[in-house]
């Protein structure tokens, strides 16, 4: 699963990567975050047609809320969507067809079980590029307003399986346009994209208290000495 990640590089500092036409004010004003937690607001990238095609960054609630969800608490168990069943589950299938997005990140955390303990690792691209998680989004009526929400798609680990059996689906730049295309509603085409292998990833052991939401600083992604690593 992907339950914590870091996003500290501003989207307007990556003009050649995501090719954004619009960055909304709430995304631009969002502070750097080295410990993004579920059910908080996170940037997502979508494409939509108005007068023309526009690629835009918006802030979304992490934890997808389908239109039929009874209350907001439902989102806590919807932070990830399994690639194996995403086209079948009623919570995710409509979004796979029509509402696909990218969730940008610098890296993510995963915990390796070592006996009764767990050692956290920070995982990022080997080439130093930001991550582009394959995501879905949805709209949910929240009183008189509409809430934009998102989820991150995961799949069986192709690499780093010794840390965790699942990984988020990470898109390469060449797949961005096809994944985001709002006119493509064939779920098989979407499934083909997320079947592509992830880019090469690197994992480093980091301090154990990154599991606490309040622990949020650049030190979260600093490799700890070998003698401090569990196992």
């Amino acid at each position: 699963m992907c339950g914590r990640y870091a996003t500290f590089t501003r989207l307007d500092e990556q003009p050649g990567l995501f090719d954004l036409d619009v960055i909304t004010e709430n995304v631009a004003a969002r502070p750097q975050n080295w410990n993004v937690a579920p059910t908080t607001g996170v940037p997502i990238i979508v494409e939509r047609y108005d007068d023309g095609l526009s690629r835009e960054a918006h802030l979304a609630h992490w934890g997808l809320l389908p239109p039929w969800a009874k209350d907001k608490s439902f989102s806590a168990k919807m932070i990830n969507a399994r690639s194996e069943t995403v086209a079948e589950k009623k919570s995710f299938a409509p979004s796979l067809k029509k509402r696909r997005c990218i969730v940008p990140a610098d890296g993510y955390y995963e915990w390796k079980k070592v006996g009764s303990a767990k050692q956290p690792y920070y995982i990022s691209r080997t080439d130093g590029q930001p991550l582009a998680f394959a995501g879905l989004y949805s709209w949910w009526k929240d009183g008189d307003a509409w809430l934009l929400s998102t989820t991150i798609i995961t799949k069986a680990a192709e690499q780093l399986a010794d840390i965790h059996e699942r990984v988020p689906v990470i898109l390469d730049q060449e797949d961005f346009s096809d994944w985001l295309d709002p006119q493509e509603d064939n779920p098989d085409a979407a499934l083909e994209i997320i079947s592509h292998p992830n880019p090469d990833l690197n994992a480093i052991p980091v301090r154990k208290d990154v599991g606490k939401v309040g622990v949020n600083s650049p030190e979260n992604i600093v490799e700890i000495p070998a003698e401090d690593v569990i196992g």
Side-chain angles (χ1 to χ4, degrees), residues 107-190:
Y108 71 99
Y109 301 100
E110 195 55 83
W111 281 258
K112 178 180 181 178
K113 291 183 179 179
V114 183
S116 59
K118 292 183 179 181
Q119 172 62 56
Y121 285 81
Y122 177 70
I123 300 170
S124 57
R125 286 183 62 133
T126 303
D127 61 11
Q129 288 292 309
L131 305 181
F133 297 141
L136 307 174
Y137 70 94
S138 184
W139 290 96
W140 183 72
K141 190 69 178 294
D142 186 15
D144 294 328
W146 287 92
L147 179 67
L148 177 64
S149 64
T150 191
T151 190
I152 295 169
I153 300 176
T154 69
K155 61 182 176 180
E158 309 141 331
Q159 50 185 309
L160 306 179
D162 59 319
I163 294 177
H164 198 275
E165 63 184 9
R166 298 194 69 78
V167 293
V169 175
I170 301 169
L171 302 174
D172 269 325
Q173 189 173 7
E174 62 188 20
D175 288 325
F176 289 0
S177 293
D178 289 339
W179 177 254
L180 295 174
D181 186 355
Q183 294 186 322
E184 176 60 78
D185 62 0
N186 181 355
D188 289 335

Side-chain angles (χ1 to χ4, degrees), residues 1 3 8-9 12 41 45 51 55 65 70 76 84 89 95-96 126 130 154 168-169 191 197-199 201 203 214:
M1 64 177 294
F8 46 83
T9 304
D12 58 7
I45 295 169
D51 296 328
R55 185 174 291 182
L65 282 162
K70 291 184 178 180
E84 297 87 347
K89 297 288 187 180
S95 291
L96 183 70
T126 303
T154 69
V169 175
L191 291 174
N198 276 355
L201 300 172

Side-chain angles (χ1 to χ4, degrees), residues 8-23:
F8 46 83
T9 304
R10 292 172 55 90
L11 289 175
D12 58 7
E13 295 174 349
Q14 303 166 2
L17 179 61
F18 294 116
D19 292 325
L20 292 167
D21 300 300
V22 175
I23 299 176

Side-chain angles (χ1 to χ4, degrees), residues 43-60:
I44 67 169
I45 295 169
V46 302
E47 281 188 356
R48 66 188 189 92
Y49 279 99
D50 193 355
D51 296 328
L53 182 65
S54 180
R55 185 174 291 182
E56 304 176 355
H58 293 263
L59 202 67

Side-chain angles (χ1 to χ4, degrees), residues 31-104:
Q32 294 171 300
N33 195 330
W34 287 269
N35 205 341
V36 180
T39 73
T40 60
V42 300
I44 67 169
I45 295 169
V46 302
E47 281 188 356
R48 66 188 189 92
Y49 279 99
D50 193 355
D51 296 328
L53 182 65
S54 180
R55 185 174 291 182
E56 304 176 355
H58 293 263
L59 202 67
H61 177 88
W62 184 17
L64 191 130
L65 282 162
W68 45 262
K70 291 184 178 180
D71 59 67
K72 198 172 180 179
S73 65
F74 183 78
S75 71
K77 57 183 179 181
M78 302 291 283
I79 63 169
N80 291 159
R82 296 175 67 92
S83 61
E84 297 87 347
T85 57
V86 67
E88 306 162 9
K89 297 288 187 180
K90 69 173 184 176
S91 299
F92 303 124
S95 291
L96 183 70
K97 289 183 64 177
K98 292 283 192 178
R99 295 181 291 275
R100 297 176 300 276
C101 67
I102 289 171
V103 182

